[in-house]
Each structure stands twice: as structure tokens, then as C-alpha cells.
Amino acid sequence: MLDTLVTPIVNLMHRLSFRHKFILAGGLMALAMMVALMPGLWQMLDEHRDISRRNRGISLILETTEAMALVAERRQIHLLALRNLATSDAASLSARSSDIETRLASLDRQAGAGSEAARALADAKALWSEIGNRSAGRYNPVKASADHGAMLFALRRYLDAVAAASGIARDTDGAAIFLAGLLARDLPGLILGISDASSYGILAISGGINDEDRQKLGYLASHLPVVVDAIVTGQQHRMDSGVVAEMTESLASAVPGMANLLLNNRVLHPEMGITPEALAQARLAATKTASALTTAAATTLRTGLAQRQQENSERAYADQRY
């Protein structure tokens, strides 16, 4: 059996010139090396695709978080004007509306057709269209706040779908898991909660809040600092220095500051006389700090992914050498 296989090969080698023998031997060695390296190359390619998918997910999460912050700001400006607590600022409303339109158009171009992200974004766009139509006429303040809140929730669903598809939470490194949790769960939820709390606070200041919403206001004012405490604890265990730690420290000051104003509003404590301007400034500070921490977390996570990609390339190069 062995002779049957070997004899034709030996005869072929005898007939070949030295040059052709060298070419054949070199080709066979190269083929053997390619076969040996193929698993490593496929693994490196898979890791490259995974890192690219995560980076794209981070970019979409940042865009969505920016859109949420803009909707939250427009919600407050509009509600203050509808409650006659501030002069109607048509220029600010128009600017925020234009920015929101830009963000929605960008997200729409990147949402896969038929995906959960696309369905959530379609809901957000439908609510945005309704907000625009109603804003042209008489708009009940409670309804206006609810519509903005529903749009924020739809954007949060879009963000959840993007995070799940990108796989940014699938990691074994503790710091990366913490950063992914900030981007995909903690900070978007915090921005939504801050906006809801601010809206209930505006209704309370204007005297148009019912018992159910008053209870929601009390819950949010107590719950938001708890969320921030959990973020601070995670940061201290996973990342005790750097820009993320600095931004977390700022968040730990801004959000409880807003919560204190809400707990001391005119409904719960009328003697405090909290002004709409003070609440608006507190909400803006809390939202800006949450957005800044989002950017810091995204930058740090991207840096880690770039470092991992570099290490993969160096490892693949070393495998090829040896």
C-alpha cells in the first residue's frame, strides 16, 4: 500500500530538474505552514470583526445618548413655557428640534431594516412627529411631558438593541464590563430618570401635579442618588483613577444636588419656594455630567479595544515568525 503511494512520487522527483524540485519542495512547505497558521489567522480575523462591531456599537450608543439628552432638554424648555414658568423660547426650541432631527436621521441610516433597533427607532420617530404636530397648536402640558418621556423610552429601547447586537457587554475584563454597563444600562437610564424627575418637579412647582405623579416624584428624587451610589461603588472597585473616576465624582455631586431640590419642592415643602430656574439649572448640570461620563467611558473602552487589537496583531506576527 505504501509503495503504491510513494513510488509515483519518487518517480516524479527523479524526472524533475533540481530547480523544479526546489520549487515543489518550497511550495509544499509553504502550504504546510499556511495550514498550520490558518486557525490562528481565522481567530485573529474573528477578533478583528468583534472589535469593529463593538466600536460601531459604542459610536451608536454615544449618538443615541446625545439624542436622549437633546430630547430631555427640549422637554424641559417646552414644559416650562406651557406652564407659564418661563418665557416661550422659540429659538431654543427650534435649535433643539433641529439637533434632534439630525440625530434621528443619522441613527435611521445605521439601523438595520427589520431589526429590533429599527422598530424602536420607528416608534421614536413617530412620537417625534406627533410632538411636532401638537406643538403647532394647543398642547396639554401633561401630554407634552408624557410624549417626550415616551420618545426617550423608545430611544432607550433602540440603545438596548444596539448594545445587545454589538456585544459590548460580552467581556471577561472587570473594567471593560463596568464601562459597558455604564454605556448600555446605567447612564441612559439615569438620563431618562433625570428628565422624568425634572418634569414632575416642574408640574409640582406650577401646582399641576396629581397624587400619583407626586409619588413618582418622591420615588425618583430618592432613587436617583441610589443609582449614582451604585455607579460610584462600581468605579471605585474597577477604575480608581483616570477621567472616568473624575467624571463619576462630578456625577456624585450633580445628581444628589438635583434630588435635594426635588425633595424640597413647593409641593413637599412649600416653604422652600424652589424656583423653576434653579430646577432647570440643576437638571442641566446633572444631564451634562451624565453625558460627559458617557463620553469618558466610551473613550476609555475604545482605548482598551484598540490596545487589544494591537496585542492580537503582535501575537499573530510572532506566530508567523516562529
Side-chain angles (χ1 to χ4, degrees), residues 62-78:
L62 276 175
E63 280 196 62
T64 309
T65 304
E66 290 172 359
M68 291 179 68
L70 289 167
V71 173
E73 185 174 356
R74 190 192 187 284
R75 182 188 195 181
Q76 178 173 270
I77 294 172
H78 198 187

Side-chain angles (χ1 to χ4, degrees), residues 281-299:
Q281 291 173 3
R283 186 214 61 82
L284 183 61
T287 303
K288 280 189 172 182
T289 308
S291 297
L293 179 54
T294 300
T295 302
T299 301

Side-chain angles (χ1 to χ4, degrees), residues 134-187:
R134 288 180 175 272
S135 295
R138 298 179 61 85
Y139 205 170
N140 180 278
V142 176
K143 174 64 175 171
S145 178
D147 287 344
H148 282 81
M151 183 179 177
L152 284 169
F153 186 74
L155 288 172
R156 172 71 189 277
R157 284 172 44 220
Y158 174 85
L159 189 149
D160 288 344
V162 167
S166 67
I168 66 167
R170 294 194 297 268
D171 215 309
T172 57
D173 179 70
I177 293 172
F178 167 69
L179 293 171
L182 283 181
L183 291 173
R185 181 189 62 246
D186 300 332
L187 294 173

